[in-house]
Amino acid sequence: MSASPRSVLASYPFRLFFLLTASYAIAIILLWAGVLTGHIGVPAGWLPLHWHSHEMLFGMTSAAIAGFILTAVCNWTGAPPLKNGGLIALAALWLAGRLVMVMGAGLPLVCIAMVDLLFLWALAIFLARLLLRYGNRKNLMLAGIIALLGVANLFMHIGALQADIRWSLAGENLALGMVTLLMVVIGGRIIPAFTRNWLRMHGGRDAEVKTCPKLEALTLATTAALIPAEPLATWLQLHWLVPTLALLAAFTNGFRLFRWRGWLTHREPLLWILHIGYAWVAAALLFKGLAGLGWVPASAWQHALGAGAMGTLILAVMTRVALGHTGRPMKLPRFAVFIYIAILVAAVLRMATALQWLPFGSGILLSVFAWALAFGAFVVIYWPILSRPRVDGRPG
C-alpha cells in the first residue's frame, strides 16, 4: 500500500515547508496587488508597505529558511528529521502567524503579535537544542540568526502597536540584514562545493573554483558589519558609514562570486541559477551603497535583495534540494527551467520599476504576474516530487 501524500509531506521538513513557501509566495504577492489597488485592507496599525515587507520576510522567507535549515541539520548532525506531529505543529505555528497577519484586521494588535512571534523563536530554540545535543556548535550561528530574525519581527510589531515608524524601520532593516547574512553564509557553503562537484563529474577543471579563507572572512565581516552600522550611523550622524560598508560588501561578495567561476556551469541550470541568485546579493549591496549616496532610489536595493536574491535563491535551493533528498537524479525536470526564467523576469521588472524605468502601475503588475508564474510553476512541477515517497525506496 503506497503512502498518502499527507504522510509523505510530514516525513521531512523540506517537503512541507517548500510547498508552503511557494504557495504563500503566490498568495502574498496577489494579496499585495489587491492592497495596492485598494481591494484588500491590512491589519489596523500596519502601514501597507511595512505589512508587505513583513510578510515577504517573516512569511515566505521564514518558511523557506525552515525547510532548508531543518533538512540540512540532519546532514550536519546525523539527527533524524523533524517529522509527523512535531513538523505539523511547527508548520501550524507558521500558518497561524500568516492567518492573523492576513485576516486579523479585527483582532487586537497585541494578539496578532503574540501569535506571529511564536514561529521563529520556536524554530531557533529547536535548532539550537538539536545542535547542542549533537555537539555541532559551529552551526549555532545559524540558530542565532534565526533568533535575531525573531527580534526583528518583534520590533516591527512594536512599531505597529505604538504607531512608531522608527521601530518598524529598525525591524525591517535588521531582518533584511540577517537574511542577507544568511544567504552569504549558506551561499558560500553550497555554491562553490556544488560547482566543484559538477565540474569534477563532467570532466571540467574543478580546481578553477577558488575559495580563500581571508576573502571568506572579509566577505562575512563586511556583510555582517552593515547590520549594526544602520542604527549606529543614525545615532552618530555618520552618513558615510552605511554606503561605504555597503560598497565594500558588494565588492567582496562580487569578487567571491567571480572566483567561483559560475560561467563554467552554463550547461547546468541547477547550478547557474545559484550563481545568478548570488549575483543579486552583490547587486543589492551595490544598490544599497548607491542609494546611501543619493544616486538611486532607496527602494532599489530592497527589491534587488527581495525580488532578485531572495526570490531566485529560494527557488534555486528548493528545486535542487527537492531532487537530491527524494533520491532523484540531479537533473532539472522537464519545463522546470521556466521557473528560473520567470523569477528572473520578475526581478528585472521589479528593479526597472524601482529605478523608475517603467511606470509604477504596469511595472508592478507585470512583475507580480511573473513572480506568481515562477512559484506557481514550482508547485505544479514539484508537487508530484514532494508528495510522493523517495524513488530509491529509502526513508525520508
Side-chain angles (χ1 to χ4, degrees):
M1 183 176 179
S2 60
S4 68
R6 182 185 301 176
S7 63
V8 173
L9 289 174
S11 66
Y12 227 107
F14 75 91
R15 294 179 178 273
L16 181 56
F17 273 110
F18 283 2
L19 284 174
L20 288 174
T21 298
S23 300
Y24 196 65
I26 300 166
I28 199 59
I29 206 67
L30 296 178
L31 287 169
W32 177 233
V35 170
L36 287 176
T37 56
H39 292 91
I40 296 173
V42 300
W46 282 84
L47 295 175
L49 278 173
H50 289 160
W51 176 85
H52 170 58
S53 63
H54 181 278
E55 288 309 289
M56 296 299 287
L57 288 164
F58 303 109
M60 180 197 76
T61 304
S62 71
I65 290 170
F68 175 79
I69 293 290
L70 292 176
T71 299
V73 74
C74 299
N75 293 334
W76 300 337
T77 64
L82 180 67
K83 60 182 180 179
N84 299 331
L87 178 59
I88 292 170
L90 186 63
L93 288 181
W94 175 86
L95 182 59
R98 309 292 52 80
L99 290 175
V100 295
M101 286 300 300
V102 171
M103 304 174 64
L107 293 174
L109 285 174
V110 68
C111 293
I112 294 175
M114 290 173 66
V115 173
D116 185 52
L117 288 170
L118 292 174
F119 172 71
L120 280 170
W121 285 340
L123 176 61
I125 291 169
F126 174 81
L127 181 61
R129 291 183 63 186
L130 189 65
L131 291 169
L132 288 171
R133 185 187 312 156
Y134 283 84
N136 191 292
R137 294 179 179 273
K138 70 176 183 178
N139 284 307
L140 280 174
M141 176 182 66
L142 298 176
I145 290 175
I146 294 170
L148 284 172
L149 277 174
V151 173
N153 193 12
L154 175 62
F155 286 175
M156 292 200 77
H157 280 286
I158 291 174
L161 281 162
Q162 298 188 354
D164 190 338
I165 194 173
R166 292 172 299 180
W167 280 101
S168 299
L169 288 174
E172 183 180 280
N173 287 332
L174 177 57
L176 289 169
M178 299 313 299
V179 170
T180 303
L181 182 60
L182 188 61
M183 290 189 290
V184 169
V185 171
I186 298 299
R189 292 185 182 186
I190 67 174
I191 298 175
F194 291 166
T195 303
R196 284 195 192 99
N197 291 342
W198 185 83
L199 288 171
R200 192 177 301 119
M201 291 174 60
H202 291 82
R205 301 182 299 276
D206 61 290
E208 289 196 30
V209 181
K210 301 183 184 301
T211 55
C212 168
K214 290 183 178 179
L215 178 60
E216 297 297 299
L218 183 60
T219 302
L220 291 175
T222 53
T223 306
L226 275 168
I227 299 169
E230 296 270 5
L232 187 64
T234 301
W235 181 42
L236 298 177
Q237 295 295 300
L238 300 175
H239 303 297
W240 54 269
L241 182 60
V242 170
T244 301
L245 281 174
L247 291 173
L248 182 58
F251 174 77
T252 55
N253 277 281
F255 187 50
R256 183 195 205 197
L257 174 65
F258 172 78
R259 288 168 57 86
W260 294 342
R261 303 297 195 268
W263 57 86
L264 298 177
T265 68
H266 67 277
R267 293 183 289 114
E268 179 48 71
L270 285 167
L271 278 174
W272 58 248
I273 193 62
L274 286 168
H275 288 268
I276 292 176
Y278 199 89
W280 275 113
V281 175
L285 292 167
L286 174 63
F287 280 115
K288 186 177 180 68
L290 297 178
L293 298 173
W295 294 359
V296 297
S299 65
W301 88 271
Q302 295 174 341
H303 291 106
L305 188 73
M310 288 161 52
T312 304
L313 284 175
I314 284 172
L315 282 169
V317 170
M318 293 198 307
T319 50
R320 184 182 183 91
V321 169
L323 295 175
H325 281 271
T326 57
R328 289 170 169 80
M330 297 305 296
K331 179 178 175 58
L332 197 64
R334 190 179 183 188
F335 304 123
V337 72
F338 175 77
I339 298 171
Y340 301 159
I341 295 170
I343 194 61
L344 293 175
V345 168
V348 170
L349 287 171
R350 190 61 190 88
M351 280 301 299
T353 306
L355 294 170
Q356 301 174 1
W357 297 345
L358 287 176
F360 182 80
S362 57
I364 290 291
L365 290 178
L366 286 171
S367 62
V368 163
F369 180 68
W371 176 280
L373 279 179
F375 282 94
F378 175 85
V379 173
V380 171
I381 295 171
Y382 275 80
W383 166 259
I385 294 172
L386 294 169
S387 63
R388 294 175 184 170
R390 289 179 61 110
V391 297
D392 57 8
R394 295 171 56 190

